[in-house]
Amino acid sequence: MTEEIKSPYRRGADDGFFFGIYLSIFFLLSFISVKMPILSLISFAMAIAVPVVIYYFLRKAYINDKGLSPLSLLWMHGIMIFICGSLIGAVAEIIYLKWIDPDFIINQMKTAITLYKDSGWESGKQMAEVMQRIIDNGLVPSAISIVVEIIWLSISTGSILSLIIGLIVRARAVRPDRMQKK
């Protein structure tokens, strides 16, 4: 009896669930690191490890397919990991930005205003004035709009990263002893 090979969409959704948990932890640590700077080291390490995590998922799929997966399949698998993972991570981001620390965005803008004012550069002072006008006129981006931008950024950079990692995965041959028996 042969086992049916999963589509890249199904694999991406399955792996994207775990990647979504990873992204949720990463984003929450990033947000909290504003108050606890030591956490920024962990979130930085998690950001650096994203290619390794994606490589793990794509390589596992490539080995399961006995090294026969075309680049397009690996690439789509990676894109789906980023789409599904980003949507799961977005839930954690929304919860944090809307209910746990609803003043996070405005506080970050106020911190940036202070830094720009104290920079000593004319352009920095102008930027501080622009940001202050944004706050005064109630034009601060909402939590939802920030999260949507994060989703788009994650998916677009994830697509490029998935292509590069897919090429790397295919460049390494699969040893016969690593192939799973079906």
Side-chain angles (χ1 to χ4, degrees):
M1 190 193 294
T2 61
E3 185 179 324
E4 187 176 318
I5 295 176
K6 288 184 184 177
S7 76
Y9 305 103
R10 178 58 194 213
R11 280 183 177 159
D14 291 344
D15 295 340
F17 174 77
F18 296 107
F19 189 60
I21 294 169
Y22 182 90
L23 287 178
S24 298
I25 294 167
F26 166 69
F27 286 123
L28 292 175
L29 287 175
S30 297
F31 292 150
I32 296 169
S33 70
V34 171
K35 296 174 184 164
M36 298 175 62
I38 191 70
L39 295 178
S40 64
L41 295 173
I42 299 169
S43 64
F44 180 71
M46 290 181 77
I48 298 278
V50 166
V52 175
V53 172
I54 299 303
Y55 177 86
Y56 168 78
F57 288 132
L58 296 185
R59 182 70 182 171
K60 182 177 71 167
Y62 189 63
I63 290 170
N64 286 343
D65 291 346
K66 300 180 181 174
L68 300 174
S69 305
L71 177 61
S72 58
L73 187 131
L74 293 171
W75 189 15
M76 183 52 66
H77 179 189
I79 291 170
M80 290 306 300
I81 291 171
F82 276 96
I83 291 172
C84 296
S86 295
L87 293 175
I88 292 170
V91 172
E93 294 164 31
I94 289 292
I95 290 170
Y96 185 84
L97 292 173
K98 283 190 79 77
W99 294 289
I100 295 174
D101 190 359
D103 296 327
F104 180 83
I105 297 167
I106 194 95
N107 289 338
Q108 292 305 301
M109 289 187 72
K110 288 177 180 177
T111 300
I113 289 169
T114 303
L115 290 173
Y116 281 126
K117 280 182 182 176
D118 296 342
S119 70
W121 297 338
E122 186 58 35
S123 61
K125 291 177 184 176
Q126 291 172 352
M127 181 59 82
E129 290 172 10
V130 168
M131 292 179 79
Q132 188 60 55
R133 277 186 289 200
I134 289 171
I135 292 172
D136 294 343
N137 293 325
L139 299 173
V140 176
S142 67
I144 298 288
S145 64
I146 297 285
V147 171
V148 167
E149 293 299 323
I150 291 171
I151 291 170
W152 282 118
L153 176 67
S154 178
I155 292 171
S156 60
T157 57
S159 173
I160 295 165
L161 183 64
S162 296
L163 176 60
I164 294 167
I165 292 174
L167 288 167
I168 294 168
V169 164
R170 286 194 41 87
R172 290 192 54 215
V174 177
R175 296 188 328 237
D177 61 321
R178 296 283 315 257
M179 290 184 200
Q180 293 185 355
K181 295 179 181 160
K182 296 194 179 197

